[in-house]
Amino acid sequence: DDCSGDGALMPLIDPSTDSGGWTGYHKASNLNGRYNQHRQGFVFSNGEFFNLHSNVDFESDMKQFFHFSHDVVASGVLRAIERRLELPDCYFDNELGPTDNSSQWHLKQYQVDELDEHSNDTPPLSQQLDQKVLLPMHTDPSLISVVIIDSPGVTKGGKGLEVFQANCSEDTVPNDSKTKHSRGTWKAIPHHGRDVAIIFVGSVLSYLTKGQVFSAIKHRVVDDCKDDINERLAATLFVRPQPGAYMKTLPSKYIEHEGASSTKLPPTFRVWNARVAKNYMKKKKKQEGMI
């Protein structure tokens, strides 16, 4: 269904508030941030849900979809990461969770004018190439993100969703993320659909592994002209730690730890997330010019 929100009895999002705690509906507008210039839809944060006057089953459907994405898909992926890093069972739940009431859930649809000539927030030409960028390059402030794009079954392509693959030269220092991510190519997601869960590593997991095992995935959405972009509907789950959880390096033998352990406590997710958001806003134009 169209997620325009007409006739809905629900909270409207105040763009002046912290987007990390949004619950409600927003229109497509750069007033809601450059990531929502072309997207409208619903956001649910920290276990909050609401119903629609026009659809009495909306809240229960959203809860069911959320819990499947979180309890089945995301939890399965995190358990696999624990095995890969030889961490204690349920490490993420015990140290960072429970994440079911600290995560964020989006259901968003694109709203793009045919020419969109009056935009004041156009990405640089070096990022646009020959396609219009609708969702600028970014990484997610999550442990992992689960993306499901609405299409029957399994469909080829990503409906404009692309990931950035860095070109690493032989003389690049392996852990020098600034160097190795400065050049590369954009690749379309190979498949999407209701039977496909697309998993992105977020910047939280990258931080916890010091970028040595998992690096946050840079991605974007472009208008690939293959379908009507305004029919593109996607649900995204951002699995996030509890605000008070400490952002300490994971205790894995696959991660190099520097010398003796420090007595200084690592930042909490609340502090770390606020710091990352502030730094990103300062550097976003510089980073866009790197591609």
Side-chain angles (χ1 to χ4, degrees):
D1 292 340
D2 184 3
C3 60
S4 62
D6 292 340
L9 297 177
M10 60 183 174
L12 296 178
I13 288 172
D14 179 355
S16 68
T17 58
D18 179 8
S19 62
W22 282 358
T23 293
Y25 167 79
H26 69 75
K27 294 183 178 181
S29 169
N30 56 16
L31 295 177
N32 295 311
R34 66 196 189 105
Y35 295 122
N36 292 311
Q37 181 182 357
H38 302 294
R39 297 190 301 170
Q40 62 178 356
F42 304 108
V43 181
F44 310 91
S45 297
N46 306 323
E48 299 176 334
F49 289 90
F50 53 83
N51 219 340
L52 300 182
H53 177 73
S54 57
N55 184 349
V56 295
D57 295 325
F58 180 77
E59 182 174 1
S60 62
D61 288 346
M62 289 298 97
K63 287 181 177 179
Q64 183 178 1
F65 204 175
F66 169 84
H67 286 297
F68 172 77
S69 298
H70 180 276
D71 301 346
V72 178
V73 180
S75 292
V77 173
L78 291 176
R79 297 295 83 78
I81 292 173
E82 290 170 350
R83 294 191 296 271
R84 165 69 175 82
L85 298 179
E86 298 185 23
L87 298 173
D89 290 343
C90 298
Y91 178 88
F92 292 111
D93 283 340
N94 295 335
E95 296 294 328
L96 302 175
T99 57
D100 59 343
N101 61 2
S102 59
S103 296
Q104 192 171 74
W105 171 255
H106 292 187
L107 181 65
K108 295 191 179 183
Q109 184 178 37
Y110 277 81
Q111 175 118 26
V112 182
D113 294 335
E114 185 175 354
L115 296 178
D116 203 15
E117 294 178 320
H118 305 293
S119 170
N120 292 319
D121 193 16
T122 304
L125 290 175
S126 56
Q127 186 181 352
Q128 289 186 69
L129 298 179
D130 59 346
Q131 294 175 313
K132 180 171 181 57
V133 177
L134 302 178
L135 180 62
M137 177 191 72
H138 66 285
T139 60
D140 295 336
S142 62
L143 281 163
I144 59 172
S145 302
V146 180
V147 183
I148 300 177
I149 302 173
D150 185 39
S151 283
V154 178
T155 306
K156 287 186 178 181
K159 250 187 175 177
L161 180 58
E162 298 181 333
V163 294
F164 183 71
Q165 295 185 347
N167 298 331
C168 298
S169 61
E170 294 181 359
D171 58 349
T172 298
V173 178
N175 293 329
D176 183 357
S177 59
K178 181 178 179 181
T179 301
K180 72 179 182 180
H181 291 311
S182 62
R183 295 290 182 270
T185 56
W186 288 101
K187 300 290 185 181
I189 294 293
H191 298 91
H192 73 280
R194 296 170 199 154
D195 293 339
V196 179
I198 301 165
I199 309 297
F200 287 141
V201 171
S203 54
V204 174
L205 185 57
S206 181
Y207 182 88
L208 298 180
T209 62
K210 303 174 73 173
Q212 296 175 17
V213 183
F214 296 103
S215 296
I217 302 300
K218 294 181 179 180
H219 53 286
R220 68 179 187 179
V221 174
V222 300
D223 186 352
D224 59 12
C225 300
K226 295 180 180 178
D227 300 290
D228 182 357
I229 194 65
N230 290 332
E231 295 180 358
R232 187 187 192 279
L233 181 66
T236 306
L237 167 67
F238 303 93
V239 182
R240 308 186 301 191
Q242 285 287 327
Y246 287 106
M247 297 283 288
K248 56 187 178 182
T249 304
L250 300 182
S252 170
K253 67 181 183 181
Y254 299 104
I255 302 171
E256 294 182 8
H257 294 72
E258 299 175 359
S261 59
S262 172
T263 57
K264 183 180 179 181
L265 284 175
T268 62
F269 175 68
R270 180 189 292 108
V271 171
W272 177 87
N273 198 34
R275 184 188 306 164
V276 168
K278 184 183 296 185
N279 290 339
Y280 175 74
M281 292 304 292
K282 290 179 180 178
K283 298 179 180 179
K284 66 180 183 180
K285 295 301 181 184
K286 180 179 178 180
Q287 287 177 340
E288 284 178 352
M290 291 168 60
I291 303 302

